[in-house]
Amino acid sequence: MPPVPDRLAAWGQELIEVHDRLRDELDRLLDGLDESPGLTPDLRLHCAAFCGAISRHHTSEDRTAFPALAAQYPELRDTLDGLARDHAVVAEILERLDEVLTNPAGDPTRVRGEIDGLAAILESHFRWEERTVVAALDGLAGPALSAEQLFGRDV
């Protein structure tokens, strides 16, 4: 990998920090599911907000981070394609969650099952992504990019 460009942001570390925040939020969501007898309005809102954050994160990676990495590091294309396939699986889970959450008689057991499945794939996905693209992100050169463009959030 080339030396890290002279800039204020180390994008690899930023990715890890985004993932850590998403992990923390997922833990809070799981705690809320454990503590609640049903799908309260607050729990539905919390779940919808978390799902939106995951969706924005993956959309930003697919549109900005992964193309930038593929252009600079063609040897990562197969890995990036695999990560994008994970994003599609996660999107399917998010769609199922949305169906349950928007149904006034939503089934808390189904929500818990979907969230547990989401948690498993996200942890596997985050670890894979962190193992394979952090160094490349730190070496990313080219036009000025923001954390929002790359990872779906403001710094």
Side-chain angles (χ1 to χ4, degrees):
M1 297 286 162
V4 176
D6 183 24
R7 65 169 176 260
L8 296 176
W11 292 130
Q13 184 59 40
E14 181 68 27
L15 175 68
I16 292 169
E17 290 172 10
V18 167
H19 286 173
D20 285 346
R21 281 190 288 281
L22 291 169
R23 286 176 175 115
D24 290 345
E25 197 57 39
L26 178 58
D27 287 343
R28 282 191 283 284
L29 179 58
L30 288 166
D31 289 345
L33 287 168
D34 288 341
E35 296 166 3
S36 178
L39 292 177
T40 65
D42 285 345
L43 191 53
R44 286 174 192 264
L45 185 61
H46 186 180
C47 189
F50 174 75
C51 291
I54 291 291
S55 182
R56 281 187 305 279
H57 172 63
H58 285 169
T59 298
S60 294
E61 286 181 332
D62 290 341
R63 289 184 182 164
T64 306
F66 291 177
L69 287 168
Q72 188 167 328
Y73 303 105
E75 67 275 15
L76 287 177
R77 285 195 176 127
D78 287 343
T79 297
L80 297 169
D81 288 345
L83 291 168
R85 283 190 299 274
D86 275 4
H87 291 176
V89 171
V90 168
E92 290 173 10
I93 296 171
L94 296 178
E95 286 177 25
R96 291 193 303 266
L97 271 167
D98 184 60
E99 288 173 16
V100 179
L101 292 170
T102 56
N103 180 343
D107 178 7
T109 303
R110 183 168 169 216
V111 169
R112 181 56 190 238
E114 295 290 358
I115 294 287
D116 285 344
L118 180 63
I121 193 167
L122 283 177
E123 187 54 35
S124 171
H125 173 79
F126 288 167
R127 286 181 186 200
W128 180 25
E129 195 170 58
E130 290 165 3
R131 277 192 325 270
T132 58
V133 302
V134 164
L137 281 167
D138 284 342
L140 197 58
L145 297 168
S146 70
E148 179 66 30
Q149 291 169 308
L150 291 169
F151 310 122
R153 77 164 206 88
D154 293 320
V155 178

